[in-house]
Amino acid sequence: MAIASDTDPEHEDLAVTLARFSSALTLDDLPADAIATAKADVFDTLACAAAGSTARGIGELRDLAVEWGGAPQATVFGFGDKVPAHHAAWVNGAMSHARDYDDTHDAAVLHAGVSIIPAALAAAELRSGAAGRDFLPAVAAGLEVMCRLGVATQIGIVESGYMYSSLFGYFGSTVAAGRVLGLDETEMLNAIGIAYSQVAGNHQVTRDGALTKRMQPGFAAKAALVSVQMAKRGIRGVHSTFEGLDGFLRVYLHNRCDRAVLRADLGKRYEFAQLSFKPYPCCRFNHTAIDAALVLRASAGLRPDAIRRIRIGVNRQAYEAVSTPIAVRKVPQTIVHAQFSLPFTVAAALVDGHVGLGHFSDEGIRRKDILALASRIDPFVDEEIERQWGRSVTPANLHVEMEDGSAHILRIDYPLGHPDRPMRTEDFDAKAADCFRAAVKPLPQGAAMGLRERVNGMESLDDVRELVRVLDPTA
């Protein structure tokens, strides 16, 4: 389909459509499954933030925000400092993503909540409070914008070179923060255009094992708070943000985007209701292989010392993201490299029977028993999986060869936490309790359950700042 020109009266830019949708969305417009998913994402994201408060690099970001000072507008999760709203959104977004434990959309291949929810909460604090029934549609609007961009995109993250969690997060978090602040349609359109002037987020961070991998969604959340406040003061951004001659779809996605998907049933069918949630704190591309390893460990009684070799078939983007260069993935030198290592995470699952926060620490990534098994794990591109699942989070085809000559083969298509294989409420609560124990400052016993109660009753919550106070040890 040809791109509409900047002055074509026959077409409105997608930014206009999204501004109208997001500024007008109310709780009554949302179906039950969308409300349930938005609540689940708020709960899960804030739990992940608690664990992320002790992750490497987050303390340094918090120290910078405090050092810079400024108006005490919003709270740094876990630490309790009051800083300008855009700085709080920045640190909190990075914190929420730091453990790589946060939500995914398995078809869009992105994390959604880690920029949107910190931005929306910073906006709520900036305006001195927001009711739950206004906050939920703001989160829903942001999630929907981001997930639709993701599923409509036809170029993978390895080929494009962009991480879509941050790239699309600029727009999703801007829409969410703008809805919390009550931007009208024109102001929202300007905010989206202002955000476009700041969009970034590269895939090189995972190749290099850089700490900035976890910080890119925070940059998106920060830009959102800047953009909506500028728009509120009447500053004009571009209006042909997506489909203009130099719009986002051409410049960033090389026009490899299904424009019909972006608009189809908008406001009637909610793509973000297909969000997945993670049982393991590492890249989602690892999860189907971890699932298969745990199943075989339990069903076949696999002992690591009896395994000769493991081959794991995945799609090409997963192979590139979590299996190359293979020497780095078999012996990860940084925590980020371990989070993005198929050999390391599968070895951890087979050795310990689980994959948890402790595996992604300075001590965890140097464990000789895990590294010994990782050295015998060889991923490869499975051509059948590539043909059928090339753009999505990958299935995994696990081939385990034993020293006695026997073999075990298992393929899993959908990872645990996907809507077709959902986590149970008790799984979420156990994960949250584990995350809260890792918080930078001790939180009261029962804090995770306190968060659960507030999120479950969000429609009647007078002020969503109560969610932030659950993570604030000074409250």
Side-chain angles (χ1 to χ4, degrees):
M1 183 182 295
I3 302 174
S5 75
D6 295 7
T7 58
D8 187 347
E10 296 298 319
H11 301 88
E12 67 177 20
D13 191 86
L14 177 65
V16 178
T17 307
L18 297 181
R20 182 185 308 115
F21 160 73
S22 56
S23 61
L25 190 67
T26 69
L27 185 63
D28 292 337
D29 296 324
L30 295 172
D33 64 336
I35 292 173
T37 303
K39 286 182 176 182
D41 206 34
V42 171
F43 179 80
D44 190 70
T45 301
L46 292 179
C48 291
S53 64
T54 50
R56 181 168 294 173
I58 300 306
E60 289 80 357
L61 294 190
R62 173 260 184 178
D63 291 346
L64 269 176
V66 172
E67 180 182 322
W68 290 334
Q73 296 171 333
T75 308
V76 178
F77 297 161
F79 293 90
D81 307 292
K82 299 289 186 181
V83 297
H86 62 287
H87 288 161
W90 172 53
V91 180
N92 294 340
M95 184 188 305
S96 300
H97 189 46
R99 299 290 186 180
D100 220 324
Y101 217 172
D102 44 296
D103 73 17
T104 64
H105 193 294
D106 291 342
V109 191
L110 55 77
H111 303 267
V114 287
S115 56
I116 289 164
I117 290 161
L121 283 172
E125 290 195 87
L126 178 64
R127 61 167 288 181
S128 300
R133 65 177 298 107
D134 288 327
F135 182 77
L136 272 172
V139 169
L143 292 174
E144 187 63 12
V145 166
M146 193 168 175
C147 291
R148 278 188 177 251
L149 283 167
V151 296
T153 296
Q154 298 168 325
I155 181 171
I157 60 174
V158 172
E159 185 179 357
S160 73
Y162 293 115
M163 295 294 282
Y164 296 149
S165 302
S166 49
L167 200 71
F168 302 152
Y170 281 80
F171 300 118
S173 53
T174 294
V175 160
R179 174 64 180 78
V180 170
L181 290 183
L183 267 59
D184 63 27
E185 184 178 331
T186 300
E187 291 169 334
M188 190 73 82
L189 179 62
N190 283 324
I192 291 169
I194 294 166
Y196 180 38
S197 293
Q198 303 166 78
V199 170
N202 63 80
H203 183 254
Q204 189 63 35
V205 292
T206 66
R207 297 186 185 277
D208 283 5
L211 282 180
T212 44
K213 193 275 174 189
R214 59 188 51 172
M215 297 172 184
Q216 290 187 153
F219 291 134
K222 178 181 181 179
L225 268 295
V226 171
S227 300
V228 297
Q229 291 181 80
M230 289 173 63
K232 197 70 175 172
R233 290 176 181 245
I235 295 174
R236 187 188 190 279
V238 299
H239 286 183
S240 299
T241 296
F242 292 99
E243 296 169 289
L245 293 176
D246 294 309
F248 178 83
L249 300 186
R250 182 186 73 79
V251 174
Y252 284 82
L253 303 183
H254 310 293
N255 290 331
R256 290 173 61 183
C257 181
D258 187 335
R259 287 168 171 76
V261 170
L262 292 170
R263 293 180 169 87
D265 297 325
L266 181 65
K268 298 178 182 177
R269 179 187 58 81
Y270 287 84
E271 184 60 48
F272 80 85
Q274 296 300 306
L275 277 173
S276 296
F277 298 94
K278 284 187 173 184
Y280 320 117
C282 58
C283 179
R284 189 64 164 168
F285 287 142
N286 299 322
H287 282 220
T288 45
I290 293 172
D291 287 345
L294 292 174
V295 170
L296 288 178
R297 186 182 191 273
S299 63
L302 299 185
R303 296 195 337 270
D305 60 354
I307 296 172
R308 176 185 301 159
R309 184 189 183 200
I310 299 174
R311 299 181 71 242
I312 306 172
V314 294
N315 67 16
R316 185 167 298 280
Q317 67 175 345
Y319 179 77
E320 292 284 344
V322 295
S323 305
T324 62
I326 192 60
V328 171
R329 305 305 167 181
K330 289 188 176 185
V331 189
Q333 298 300 304
T334 71
I335 291 170
V336 176
H337 275 146
Q339 290 172 323
F340 281 76
S341 169
L342 194 56
F344 179 85
T345 54
V346 169
L350 288 167
V351 170
D352 289 343
H354 72 280
V355 177
L357 291 170
H359 289 110
F360 304 99
S361 63
D362 289 335
E363 299 77 18
I365 67 173
R366 290 174 174 80
R367 280 182 50 182
K368 293 181 179 180
D369 52 350
I370 293 175
L371 295 176
L373 182 56
S375 70
R376 305 197 296 276
I377 298 176
D378 296 300
F380 67 96
V381 177
D382 184 308
E383 295 301 335
E384 181 183 351
I385 290 175
E386 172 63 17
R387 282 193 301 272
Q388 298 177 359
W389 302 75
R391 173 66 183 90
S392 300
V393 166
T394 186
N397 201 351
L398 209 67
H399 302 249
V400 183
E401 303 170 16
M402 307 301 293
E403 291 288 359
D404 64 6
S406 62
H408 304 275
I409 300 175
L410 179 63
R411 172 171 163 167
I412 290 182
D413 286 349
Y414 295 102
L416 183 61
H418 185 276
D420 287 348
R421 295 184 63 211
M423 291 169 58
R424 302 166 300 172
T425 298
E426 50 265 43
D427 297 327
F428 278 102
D429 290 339
K431 172 181 172 179
D434 189 34
C435 288
F436 272 49
R437 284 191 290 269
V440 66
K441 295 180 180 180
L443 295 169
Q445 187 173 7
M449 285 299 99
L451 178 61
R452 163 69 66 198
E453 291 170 4
R454 288 165 175 78
V455 170
N456 283 352
M458 205 183 309
E459 296 96 330
S460 57
L461 193 64
D462 291 334
D463 191 343
V464 294
R465 288 181 294 177
E466 287 295 320
L467 303 175
V468 178
R469 293 189 185 107
V470 173
L471 300 182
D472 183 357
T474 67

